[in-house]
Each structure stands twice: as structure tokens, then as C-alpha cells.
Amino acid sequence: MDERPIGVFDSGVGGLTVVKELRRLLPTEDIIYFGDTARVPYGNKSIPVIRRFCLEITRFLEAMKVKMIVVACNTASSLALDYLRRNTELPVIGVIEPGVQAALRDPSTKRVGIIGTTATVRSEAYQTRLKRLRSGCIVSALACPLLVPIVEENLLNSPIIKLVLEMYLSNFRTMNLDTLILACTHYPLLKPAIAEFFGDGVRLVDSAEETSREVAEVLKARRISAPRTHVGSSEFYVSDSPDAFMAVGSPFLGYPIEKVFLEPVWQRDVESSG
Ligand code: DGL
């Protein structure tokens, strides 16, 4: 039994989509969440910069004595997962493999669209994995960089969402996709609009549920689950603008985020082993 919290991080509010599932599946676990709101978006940044940010956050979570780290960000998972694993002793879980598994759970999945940040799409992390695991699978990927700021700005009901989806995805809509992977943890917050845009024939998949299942497995395998009688709680940290974070996060999680702590992670000394 291990009462230490699980550390979860993202560039901003997107990782809350994973927190929501973790809370549902693992109600006895404590969670420490970090959103790098001062530096969001990550999706248009270079690999060394993204890695540096992720390492700073990892050092912060280590200092908070977490028992494992969940990289609840596709951009960071595609570009920094192995790097983080080389630089911490803690178990580190990303969202790419769970997203791929969720997409392939349906044996009829054959024509897959992937939408994510520029960095995630360029990394080809999803494309490579999907093609390896399902031969003959047709995969198309597209970056939709404006969707993250829409979510961070709490414009979840704005008419501009439809315009932005039209601009990025009208070609995708004609491609006869059976599955669309929301390869950015911010995008499930826009699920109703995306579902309406694509209509009934396209299955929308995100990583949150499958990632939480993987976390549960790791906790069990390592025998580091919280005691069964423990009532899990969540603590939230951001690098800037706690108010904006609360405004988007509270309705999404379905309970008020009462306190958000400010944590300028870049003030930490980080050393990496490359
Ligand atoms: N939520 C993130 C992801 O899953 C990051 C988006 C961004 O910061 O650009 O990729």
C-alpha cells in the first residue's frame, strides 16, 4: 500500500480529461496535477524546449513525492516520454499507446484520422504505431493548432469552433473515416462540436480512459495502490493564471476546483542525463 499521490501533467487544462477518468476509475488515489499555463501551447515548440519543460515539471512532481508520473499530454508523450524515463526513477506513463489501443479495440478499425498539435503530428508517433499494429490500416493525420487556445480561453460554446473545424477538417470529413483519434488531451473538451461536425459514422477516440486503465495496472503490478479505505483527493498547480484554469477546469471536472497553487517550475535546477 502506498499513499503517495499520482503526478499528472499537461501544458494546460487538457490533462484534466485524464484526471476525470483517473478519479472515476481510481477513487482512492490522490492526484497532484500540474498545468504549464504560462507556457501553453507546447504543440508549436521545438523538441529540446518541450523536453526541458517536461523535465522541470518532473522535478517538481518528484519534490512533491509522487509515486508515478502520467504525461497527460500527447505532445509531451510523443517527444519526451523516453527522455523522461531516462531521467527519473519513477514509472512514467504517456497517452499515445493507450490512444492507439483504444482506437484498435474495434477490430473493424481501418480508416483512421488523427488530429493533434503540429508537434504530435510531425512526430508520427501515432501513425507509426497504428500502421505497425494493424496492417492495411489507412492513416491520415492533421494538425489543428487553433483548438488548444480555444479551450484554454474557455470558448467551449463559441461559434468560432465550427468555423475552425470547417477550416481544418472539411477534407477529413470526406475521407470516409471510421475512427478519429483526438490526439490532444485538450480536444475531448470540444467533443460535442467535433462529434456534430463528423456525424454518426465516425467513432471519436481519446486516450483518457485507456490511460487510466494502464495507470491502474502499473499500480497493481508494482503494489503501490493507495489503501482501499482512503478517499482520494486532487491538488492543482499551474505556472500562471490560476483563475482561467479554475474557470475551464471546474465545470469540466464536475466539481469546483477551490484552490489552485502557483508554481513557477522554471526556477528549479534541472540536470538531465541526455
Ligand atoms: N494537451 C496537449 C496535447 O495533448 C498539449 C497541447 C499544446 O500545448 O499544444 O498535445
Side-chain angles (χ1 to χ4, degrees):
M1 295 289 117
D2 189 334
E3 282 196 25
R4 287 176 300 162
I6 298 171
V8 182
F9 79 85
D10 177 44
S11 58
V13 294
L16 294 180
T17 55
V18 177
V19 170
K20 194 174 181 177
E21 276 307 310
L22 283 171
R23 279 264 67 90
R24 202 177 59 80
L25 191 70
L26 299 166
T28 58
E29 298 293 337
D30 287 342
I31 293 173
I32 290 193
Y33 182 85
F34 179 82
D36 201 357
T37 49
R39 305 187 288 196
V40 64
Y42 280 10
N44 55 8
K45 301 206 165 51
S46 65
I47 298 174
V49 168
I50 292 167
R51 288 186 177 162
R52 166 86 198 193
F53 291 175
C54 292
L55 189 59
E56 288 168 358
I57 297 165
T58 297
R59 294 291 177 256
F60 161 64
L61 292 172
E62 285 171 339
M64 299 302 286
K65 304 261 180 285
V66 301
K67 58 185 167 189
M68 70 185 293
I69 292 179
V70 181
V71 183
C73 170
N74 288 265
T75 309
S77 297
S78 32
L79 298 170
L81 198 65
D82 293 337
Y83 171 77
L84 290 181
R85 285 178 173 153
R86 286 196 299 276
N87 280 286
T88 180
E89 312 251 288
L90 294 170
V92 184
I93 285 188
V95 287
I96 307 287
E97 190 61 29
V100 169
Q101 295 303 334
L104 295 182
R105 180 158 313 120
D106 184 337
S108 66
T109 299
K110 287 246 158 48
R111 301 178 72 89
V112 182
I114 299 161
I115 54 173
T117 66
T118 305
T120 300
V121 168
R122 268 202 202 132
S123 77
E124 304 219 347
Y126 273 99
Q127 296 92 310
T128 312
R129 198 70 189 126
L130 279 165
K131 286 183 191 156
R132 187 165 305 155
L133 293 180
R134 181 143 312 163
S135 59
C137 184
I138 298 167
V139 182
S140 317
L142 198 76
C144 305
L146 282 179
L147 295 182
V148 168
I150 286 176
V151 173
E152 289 290 329
E153 292 295 329
N154 202 9
L155 297 173
L156 303 183
N157 297 310
S158 159
I160 64 164
I161 298 172
K162 208 166 166 215
L163 289 175
V164 173
L165 292 178
E166 287 280 355
M167 179 182 81
Y168 286 132
L169 297 172
S170 23
N171 277 349
F172 247 43
R173 199 163 43 178
T174 62
M175 287 168 89
N176 211 9
L177 301 172
D178 50 59
T179 306
L180 181 73
I181 302 183
L182 307 182
C184 172
T185 50
H186 281 72
Y187 297 176
L189 286 134
L190 299 171
K191 215 170 191 172
I194 299 173
E196 193 187 328
F197 182 80
F198 278 93
D200 284 343
V202 182
R203 189 168 66 103
L204 301 188
V205 166
D206 68 74
S207 314
E209 202 180 324
E210 197 67 32
T211 303
S212 307
R213 248 181 253 142
E214 198 180 323
V215 170
E217 273 166 31
V218 171
L219 294 177
K220 201 166 159 213
R222 293 184 175 238
R223 298 171 187 273
I224 52 171
S225 301
R228 271 189 215 151
T229 50
H230 186 74
V231 180
S233 64
S234 311
E235 221 168 71
F236 299 92
Y237 293 80
V238 292
S239 48
D240 202 1
S241 315
D243 292 346
F245 181 87
M246 278 196 237
V248 190
S250 300
F252 177 73
L253 288 175
Y255 55 86
I257 300 177
E258 270 146 26
K259 181 121 188 74
V260 179
F261 301 92
L262 207 53
E263 173 62 35
V265 279
W266 49 83
Q267 288 173 2
R268 281 172 189 272
D269 254 351
V270 293
E271 257 190 50
S272 85
S273 59

